[in-house]
Amino acid sequence: MGILQKLVKNEAMKNDPPQIYGWKVFFLSASACFGGMLFGWDVGSIGGVLVMPSFKKAYGLDQLSPGALSTLQSNIVSVLQGGCFFGSLASYWVADRFGRRPALILASCITIVGIIIQTASDGHINALYVGRLVAGLGVGAASMLTPLYVSENAPRAIRGGLTGLYQLFIATGVMLSFWVNYGTLGNLKKNAQWQVPLALQGFPAVCLFAGVALCNESPRWLARDDNWEKATTVLARLRNLPPTHEYIQMELDDMKDQLENERLLIGGASFWDLQKEMWLIKGNRNRALVSIGLMICQQMTGTNAINYYAPLIFLNLGIPEEEKGLFATGIYGVVKMVTCAVFLLIAADSLGRRRSLLWTSIAQGLAMFVIGFYVRFSPPAQGEPIPGVGYFALTCIFLFAAFFQFGWGPCCWIIVSEIPTARLRAMNVAIAAATQWLFNFVVAQAVPHMLTTVGENGYGTYFIFGSFCFSMFFFVWFLIPETKGLSLEKMDDLFGITEMVKEKVAGDEEAHRAPVEIHETTAIVPKTNGTATHIEDDQVHAVK
């Protein structure tokens, strides 16, 4: 606990009881974040597999023209994104109906089935497509469920760091898969070179299944389901405090207040009621649009262009031979993992989300422009040594990775999982994740063609992504608030929902206290004590 207090600087860390930072919440977060490793492992694995001679021979890629090869490579990569898109949307209903924990377990099982099909495809391209589509359903579901589940369980002071573990596990998966590719290319023969990397994608899926099976359900989902007794028990166990402790009661009261406020604004809980709540109420609509915007921006940084096609990009920048390209890609993965870990320790809950996004927008753009200028004005020549400026451009690839992990990598997932209101959280995160996968698909389809058609040697690719990075600074400056150290329920204050509820309650009370207009009628009941009583439409008026 002493280490956390030294590293994390926000008001919640100063005020909240130290007992809540026990091992259980860290174990839960790490177990769930293997869902991120599913994504990262595939990203790193398929990029290296595509350049292996044994894979090209098995699937006939070595017989294709450059244009046809680019198309097939992009199809192999992007079919997983198609599955992820639909998986992230479908998992919203499962998570709300049956709970976050069962949904994550189901996602891991679906992914394992898809990986088995891929590994057994043995040169049959259609089987490979089917396997990647099925695996994508599970990976996409996990991409939505993991940050949702972690954010609903995490203490507010370290929620950014714990939710950001999702991005760290993505980076770790990318790094491990890069080195697996490098090792298999140098030590295995024939189809085993690519079958082993594809099969090992099942490792994080098995870890996700085993870890989450030992964890609790989200207390906020239990509260949303009106199971307050179990929500109290789970929250107390997770926080290491007795159920009667004032901190536990504060969290439960915040949950009750938020759910009651939501019901006051939109009474029903059907799918269409929730759609009205999301799109017709300004504060909720703003949160949904911010989430969508963040995920579009994350993909348009160009990060997954490098992740998927890093070996190809390193070859284009002058590093010859597949093995050397895979080695450089492995170093790239290490950089991503280490810098993400540093960000989560020292910046996520101290520097905050907004500042991290602002400065990394500019830094990423500069790195991309340096690479673009190198490819444009001093392109590498085959067989020629890499010039000094070329090494600087290669360094900028690694710097870009570091900048991304200090901002746009983890922060987007942190923000989209913490800003939605309770009843809309699963739907909001599902829409954000689906947006991320849609644009991931677009980038995966476009980059191989951009590297061959957008300017000589594809230099325009880097200028396009760099320009997007610069523009993201203004998006964050005008539209993204700071959320570090706030409870999930306090997000309603940040987006104006609490004020809206107060105005509605005040308006209802004023209407209730409005004076009743008195009318004469001809309906008269017998006099009592000299008084005639007139009745009209259930209103009783006394007339002297």
Side-chain angles (χ1 to χ4, degrees), residues 511-512 514-525 532-543:
H512 183 70
V516 178
E517 189 177 351
I518 300 175
H519 301 277
E520 287 288 343
T521 76
T522 56
I524 302 175
V525 298
T533 305
H534 302 267
I535 302 173
E536 181 183 51
D537 296 332
D538 297 326
Q539 295 181 8
V540 179
H541 310 274
V543 181

Side-chain angles (χ1 to χ4, degrees), residues 80 82-84 86-88 91 107 110-111 132-142:
L80 183 120
C84 290
F86 292 106
S88 59
S91 60
I110 293 172
T111 305
R132 289 186 61 75
L133 181 66
V134 172
L137 294 173
V139 173

Side-chain angles (χ1 to χ4, degrees), residues 275-295:
Q275 291 299 314
K276 290 179 185 176
E277 188 174 341
M278 174 172 281
W279 301 110
L280 299 184
I281 295 174
K282 183 180 178 182
N284 293 337
R285 181 172 64 249
N286 288 348
R287 285 187 265 198
L289 294 175
V290 162
S291 299
I292 291 170
L294 282 170
M295 287 307 182

Side-chain angles (χ1 to χ4, degrees), residues 179-190:
W179 287 111
V180 166
N181 288 343
Y182 180 70
T184 57
L185 185 64
N187 297 285
L188 298 179
K189 303 297 181 183
K190 298 183 178 180

Side-chain angles (χ1 to χ4, degrees), residues 225-272:
D225 205 42
D226 278 336
N227 193 346
W228 289 99
E229 183 178 350
K230 192 169 182 181
T232 303
T233 303
V234 167
L235 188 63
R237 190 185 307 125
L238 191 63
R239 296 289 184 261
N240 247 353
L241 295 170
T244 55
H245 194 281
E246 61 180 357
Y247 182 84
I248 299 295
Q249 293 304 311
M250 178 200 74
E251 277 206 78
L252 291 169
D253 288 343
D254 284 347
M255 293 180 206
K256 290 175 184 175
D257 290 344
Q258 186 181 44
L259 288 166
E260 183 58 32
N261 288 345
E262 292 174 41
R263 292 181 183 118
L264 281 171
L265 292 173
I266 299 289
S270 69
F271 175 80
W272 292 114

